[in-house]
Each structure stands twice: as C-alpha cells, then as structure tokens.
Amino acid sequence: MTATTHDVQAEILKAIAQETRLSILELLRDGERCVCEIFPAINYEQSNVSRHLNMMQKAGILTRRKDGLKIFYAIKHPEVLEIIDLASAIMKREAGSRHDLMRAI
Amino acid sequence: MTATTHDVQAEILKAIAQETRLSILELLRDGERCVCEIFPAINYEQSNVSRHLNMMQKAGILTRRKDGLKIFYAIKHPEVLEIIDLASAIMKREAGSRHDLMRAI
DNA sequence: ATTCTCTATGAGCGTTTGCGCATACACTAT
DNA sequence: ATAGTGTATGCGCAAACGCTCATAGAGAAT
C-alpha cells in the first residue's frame, strides 16, 4: 500500500509507454476528444480505447469532461507531450547512430 | 516486423517506466556503475538486475563498457533523466491537486 | 589447471497486460 | 415507455512481465 516515489513515477510513465496509448495521446495533442472520435481514428474496439482512456485518467495524465452522452478526454499536464517528444529525440539519435554503425562496416 | 514510430517510442519509454529500472537509473544519474555495485544498492537478485540492465541497453538508453571482470553501464542519452524529472513534476502537481481536493471536502 | 569473482542465461512461476466479444449502464429523443 | 447513441465493464484468452533459484561463461589470480 505504501507507494514509493518510483511507484508513482512508474505509474505515470507506464500510462504513456504503450503503442495504443501513444496513438491516443498524439490525437489529444490538438485538444480534447471524445471516445467516439478516437476509436475510429486509431482503428481499435471502442471498449479497448475506453479502457486505455480510463487507465490514463486514473494515472492522472488525462482529464474527463462530460457533455451529454459524450465524454471528452484531454491531456492534463503539458509534460506528457514533452516526455513523448524527448522519447522521439532519443529515437532519432539512436536511429542515427545505428546508421553510423552501418556505414562503418 | 515493420516497427512503427510509436512502437519504438513505446520501447524506449517502457525501458524507463518500471520501479526497479527507475531505481537503477537513479543510481546511474551520478555516472556509470557496474552490476556488482547496483544490485546490493537496490536489494535485488544479481540476475534480476542484470536482466534489467541488458533490457535497457537493448532499448538504446544505456551504454555498456567492459573492464576486466566488471561491466559498467551508464545512461546514454540525457533525455532519459529529463523524462524522469518530468514524471516527477507531474507527480508533484498531482499530489498537490489531490491535497486541494482533500482540503475542499 | 584450479579457484575465485563478476555477469549472463535457462527454467519455472504467479501476475499483469492488451485485446475482442458481449453486455450493462447513462443519457437523449421520440 | 421505447428506441437509439455513446461509454463502461465482465469475461476469457494469449502474450508479456518481473522475479527467484540454479547454472553456465568469462576473465583474473594463485
């Protein structure tokens, strides 16, 4: 029960570190979206997307807003997108160094 | 086989988003360490720590250097620590808003 | 060659994850 | 009340994860 600092950090990062959730977060980069807009866009079952959104909200990185039937989710902390961008930076540099390695052979 | 952008991003972030690995990365913040220094510090089996280090190296976030018997691991990209720090920032803000919620009741 | 130290790997186990299908729930509209 | 739309949840399943114990490799030292 006693959650350590690393437990909480891991919970937040795990909420971001998954293919489907990254697709969702990329959509939410432009602003809030409802489930009905998201799941056709990324081509997954509505239930699956709903679970992912719920999970991210519980992890504290998404907000939830009800409007009639629809429920709109949005990114809560701008740091989430910064984290994704940093991961992209690592990815690109890694791809580059692998190219260098290729060329060296 | 065709790895998408999100697959690679997720692989990098997953390599960070785990309690034990966060402990290891925190140790590596001060510079390179060998397995023999790390596993007693975080109180896990040597084999377990070895696997985590190997996994992070394959994900591209750690470097590996051999020196006699010992093998030294180090953080390869400074962005890794930035990501952890951003997660901390989110964590603190969340903790704050939860306090506000508590006080509001 | 033997022994000692450090690291990696095989095997096994319980838990968690991500997914789809079907169904329940919430709200709106007629 | 009934039907329709949007969202959440129960269930089951295959795969991945994280861990430990035991063992194998690799290199140093005697």
Side-chain angles (χ1 to χ4, degrees):
Chain A
M1 225 252 129
T2 44
T4 71
T5 298
H6 289 158
D7 287 330
V8 184
Q9 285 178 336
E11 189 191 358
I12 292 168
L13 290 173
K14 278 178 186 169
I16 306 173
Q18 204 270 343
E19 294 80 350
T20 310
R21 290 193 287 274
L22 282 172
S23 302
I24 294 174
L25 291 170
E26 214 54 61
L27 274 180
L28 295 180
R29 192 184 280 271
D30 303 327
E32 68 172 10
R33 293 277 185 283
C34 65
V35 188
C36 60
E37 291 173 300
I38 299 172
F39 85 86
I42 64 173
N43 210 33
Y44 275 106
E45 287 293 313
Q46 175 271 328
S47 64
N48 187 23
V49 171
S50 176
R51 262 185 247 269
H52 280 301
L53 289 166
N54 230 293
M55 182 269 207
M56 290 192 273
Q57 196 255 329
K58 278 177 186 163
I61 67 170
L62 292 188
T63 60
R64 233 177 102 106
R65 185 178 69 83
K66 238 177 169 167
D67 183 15
L69 274 180
K70 300 184 181 180
I71 296 188
F72 289 88
Y73 287 92
I75 293 176
K76 189 171 180 182
H77 304 281
E79 287 90 346
V80 171
L81 293 175
E82 296 181 41
I83 287 173
I84 295 174
D85 293 339
L86 286 171
S88 287
I90 295 174
M91 181 182 69
K92 282 167 190 157
R93 193 165 323 132
E94 276 298 307
S97 65
R98 281 172 200 175
H99 277 162
D100 295 348
L101 216 84
M102 298 291 255
R103 235 181 294 158
I105 295 173
Chain B
M1 225 247 128
T2 44
T4 72
T5 298
H6 289 158
D7 287 330
V8 183
Q9 285 178 336
E11 189 191 358
I12 292 169
L13 290 172
K14 278 178 186 170
I16 306 174
Q18 203 270 340
E19 294 81 348
T20 310
R21 291 194 285 275
L22 282 172
S23 303
I24 294 174
L25 291 170
E26 215 52 63
L27 274 179
L28 295 180
R29 192 184 279 271
D30 303 328
E32 64 171 14
R33 294 278 185 281
C34 65
V35 187
C36 60
E37 293 173 300
I38 299 172
F39 85 85
I42 64 174
N43 210 33
Y44 275 107
E45 288 293 314
Q46 176 270 327
S47 63
N48 188 22
V49 171
S50 176
R51 263 185 247 271
H52 280 301
L53 289 166
N54 229 293
M55 182 267 207
M56 289 192 273
Q57 196 255 328
K58 277 175 186 166
I61 67 170
L62 292 188
T63 60
R64 231 177 104 103
R65 185 177 68 84
K66 236 176 174 171
D67 184 13
L69 275 180
K70 300 183 180 178
I71 296 187
F72 288 87
Y73 288 92
I75 292 176
K76 188 170 180 184
H77 304 280
E79 286 90 346
V80 170
L81 294 175
E82 296 180 42
I83 287 172
I84 295 175
D85 293 340
L86 286 172
S88 287
I90 294 174
M91 181 182 68
K92 281 168 191 157
R93 193 164 325 129
E94 275 298 307
S97 64
R98 278 170 201 175
H99 276 161
D100 295 347
L101 216 84
M102 299 289 255
R103 230 182 299 161
I105 296 175

